[in-house]
Amino acid sequence: IVVRDLYLPHFNFSYDSTLRTSHFGLGFDSYSRVTSPLRRYTDLITHHQIKGYLENGKQGIPFSSRYLSKILNLVNYRNRNAHLLQRDNENYWLNIYYTSKHNISYVGTILSSYCNYKGVYVTSVHIMCLDKKVTVATYSKYPVGSPCVLTKTRDT
């Protein structure tokens, strides 16, 4: 938990930009991600940019920074929404799986706990054996990082 709390805030959702940025995990001052041009549209653009620069220097770069910024804003927006949709879908099916099991206990770690507007605590728990996060309603606040056991019974 200590390692997660120290480093996880530095691993933000990735995004593409025309600005030079660092990579925290790799420890690089500048970083560019590029893979097969068949995988992502931004990889295809990056390949064209690199090829143009290698062949003709700065004058050979086919896309301007202004044009790229417009494209990247749209790509980042769509990627972020796809990521959030995938996360919500995984949480939905995890909750379906969890609520369908009876008399099963799961060991977890408290990720967060806050009181909602109705006075019920909304607690996020990382279920270790499933490597997933679930959200449950509780009657009291629990400290972040504390271990817990979630038990599913027929009437809960």
Side-chain angles (χ1 to χ4, degrees):
I1 289 188
V2 173
V3 172
R4 184 198 73 217
D5 293 339
L6 286 174
Y7 293 107
L8 198 55
H10 297 285
F11 293 107
N12 296 323
F13 181 76
S14 68
Y15 66 95
D16 295 307
S17 172
T18 58
L19 303 175
R20 187 178 107 169
T21 57
S22 63
H23 191 288
F24 176 80
L26 297 175
F28 294 149
D29 291 333
S30 59
Y31 172 80
S32 179
R33 175 190 65 194
V34 63
T35 60
S36 167
L38 298 176
R39 187 160 178 244
R40 288 187 294 258
Y41 180 65
T42 55
D43 293 335
L44 179 65
I45 291 172
T46 305
H47 275 267
H48 282 297
Q49 293 290 90
I50 292 171
K51 182 179 177 185
Y53 181 80
L54 291 175
E55 289 177 352
N56 299 313
K58 284 190 175 185
Q59 294 78 21
I61 296 175
F63 305 110
S64 70
S65 179
R66 184 175 173 187
Y67 176 77
L68 290 175
S69 292
K70 288 180 182 179
I71 290 175
L72 295 178
N73 283 336
L74 179 61
V75 168
N76 289 331
Y77 175 78
R78 289 185 177 176
N79 286 343
R80 179 72 175 157
N81 285 340
H83 172 76
L84 294 174
L85 181 62
Q86 180 180 355
R87 185 199 63 195
D88 290 346
N89 186 45
E90 288 174 358
N91 285 339
Y92 171 80
W93 287 110
L94 178 63
N95 287 328
I96 293 293
Y97 172 79
Y98 179 72
T99 56
S100 71
K101 302 297 177 185
H102 301 291
N103 299 319
I104 294 179
S105 295
Y106 297 95
V107 176
T109 304
I110 304 294
L111 298 176
S112 66
S113 185
Y114 66 91
C115 189
N116 72 4
Y117 68 96
K118 293 183 178 180
V120 176
Y121 284 90
V122 178
T123 304
S124 294
V125 180
H126 178 254
I127 305 295
M128 294 170 194
C129 66
L130 301 175
D131 194 28
K132 293 290 180 180
K133 181 179 95 168
V134 296
T135 303
V136 295
T138 59
Y139 294 106
S140 58
K141 184 173 181 161
Y142 295 97
V144 171
S146 61
C148 66
V149 176
L150 296 178
T151 302
K152 173 66 181 156
T153 60
R154 282 203 188 277
D155 50 344
T156 59

